[in-house]
Structures are given as C-alpha cells and as structure tokens.
C-alpha cells in the first residue's frame, strides 16, 4: 500500500480553500493531468457526494474518480471508480481553520495494479500536490 500525505497551511480562510479545491477542474495542477467533469453531485450540489471526473495522464487511458463523502469546509473523500493503474484507492482532504487561515491534511492511499506502478505514482503525486498547494497558498 502506498500513501501520499501532505499537510499545507494557507493564509486564505478555510471556506475559500475548500471552495477552490472542491472544484474538480482546479485539481489539474495537483495531479498533473487533464480533468473533465462527468457529473455533479447526486446530493444536488455541484461538487458533492456522487460528483465524478475523468482524469487523463498523458497517453494513458483515462480513469474516473467519484466523491464518496463531502462535508462543506471540512472533508472531501473520493475513490477511483473506473479504470486506471491503481486499486484500493481513497483520497481524503481534511480542512480545518488555523487562526485567520486554514490547514489542509491530504492523504491518498492506493496500490498499483502492476509492479513498480505504486511507487512511481506516489513520487509524482507527492511532488505535484505539494508544489501546487504551496503555489496556491502563496497567492493568498
């Protein structure tokens, strides 16, 4: 099992960070891929539980991630629900206030479907997610 674990502090309030990171298209820099929204949340909200997106990394076949649980300004939990090179995947973003700013604890657990895939994906995600979150925090 591979684990990506990133903690990032933001000068922006938690409501602003949550709103930004809950928008599926804003996740492209974090994952280093193209993202296409497939559906809004089944709970009647744009980015709530049931919202899904297709991610495409370079020439590889696309795969689908679906929000499983969303608690506004607190939590986004999602899983790969179709395709891809990963299995046993779950991503969790936990948002909390931090003074006048906010804190994000972001964890992604997964296994690769083939030998060597998991460590390679982990390295890429650690690099991309950390850099993209630092860049967003610097805009605050």
């Amino acid at each position: 099992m591979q684990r990506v674990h990133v903690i990032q502090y933001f000068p922006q309030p938690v409501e602003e960070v949550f709103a930004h990171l809950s928008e599926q298209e804003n996740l492209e820099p974090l994952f280093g891929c193209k993202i296409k929204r497939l559906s809004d949340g089944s709970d009647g909200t744009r980015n709530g539980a049931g919202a899904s997106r297709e991610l495409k990394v370079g020439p590889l076949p696309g795969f689908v991630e679906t929000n499983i649980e969303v608690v506004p300004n607190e939590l986004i939990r999602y899983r790969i629900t179709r395709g891809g090179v990963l299995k046993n995947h779950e991503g969790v973003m936990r948002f909390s206030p931090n003074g006048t700013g906010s804190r994000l604890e972001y964890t992604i657990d997964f296994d690769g479907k083939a030998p060597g895939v998991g460590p390679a994906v982990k390295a890429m995600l650690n690099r991309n997610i950390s850099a993209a979150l630092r860049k967003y925090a610097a805009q605050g």
Side-chain angles (χ1 to χ4, degrees), residues 88-109:
N88 305 319
H89 171 278
E90 182 173 79
V92 179
M93 295 181 181
R94 294 186 186 281
F95 302 82
S96 57
N98 185 55
T100 59
S102 56
R103 176 183 188 268
L104 169 66
E105 182 173 1
Y106 192 180
T107 305
I108 307 172
D109 293 313

Side-chain angles (χ1 to χ4, degrees), residues 6-22:
V6 176
I7 295 175
Q8 178 67 51
Y9 293 90
F10 300 89
Q12 300 95 325
V14 70
E15 297 81 8
E16 183 179 326
V17 175
F18 180 89
H20 179 76
L21 293 176
S22 67

Side-chain angles (χ1 to χ4, degrees), residues 2 13 20 22 36 66 72 79 86 88 103 129 133 139:
Q2 302 293 317
H20 179 76
S22 67
K36 176 183 170 187
T66 303
R79 294 190 181 124
L86 305 178
N88 305 319
R103 176 183 188 268
I129 290 171
L133 291 176
Q139 295 172 0

